[in-house]
């Protein structure tokens, strides 16, 4: 029996940056084109389980969610499809 596991990892320094952004009660949400369960797994593995993760989104859907946010928003993309 052979098992392959593929997964994503956060870039170095991102975990600390997200924790810093979350200080003071800021609400953080990760919007991703990856499946929601993959987004959740990456956040949980990084110890960021309190951050909401929404997956299966196109770049246009992500942009629309940010546009509809009535609070101040910060949008950070990886430059590939954001």
């Amino acid at each position: 029996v052979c098992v392959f596991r593929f997964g994503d990892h956060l870039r170095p320094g991102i975990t600390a940056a997200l924790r810093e952004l979350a200080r003071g009660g800021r609400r953080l949400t990760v919007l991703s084109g990856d499946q929601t369960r993959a987004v959740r797994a990456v956040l949980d593995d990084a110890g960021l389980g309190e951050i909401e993760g929404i997956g299966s989104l196109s770049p246009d859907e992500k942009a629309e969610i940010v546009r509809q946010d009535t609070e101040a928003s910060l949008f950070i993309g990886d430059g590939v499809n954001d």
Side-chain angles (χ1 to χ4, degrees):
V1 174
C2 183
V3 176
F4 292 96
R5 182 175 180 220
F6 297 95
D8 291 321
H9 301 281
L10 297 175
R11 292 181 185 187
I14 294 298
T15 300
L18 290 173
R19 283 197 178 110
E20 182 65 27
L21 286 170
R23 283 183 41 188
R26 290 181 188 95
R27 180 180 57 92
L28 301 182
T29 304
V30 173
L31 307 175
S32 177
D34 293 328
Q35 293 182 359
T36 299
R37 65 184 173 149
V39 176
R40 185 77 268 139
V42 169
L43 290 171
D44 290 345
D45 287 349
L48 299 168
E50 71 280 4
I51 296 176
E52 181 182 12
I54 302 172
S56 301
L57 299 171
S58 71
D60 289 338
E61 290 170 322
K62 293 181 234 178
E64 185 60 28
I65 290 169
V66 172
R67 273 194 292 277
Q68 291 180 5
D69 192 341
T70 58
E71 301 175 22
S73 295
L74 173 65
F75 185 90
I76 303 171
D78 61 12
V80 175
N81 64 358
D82 298 316

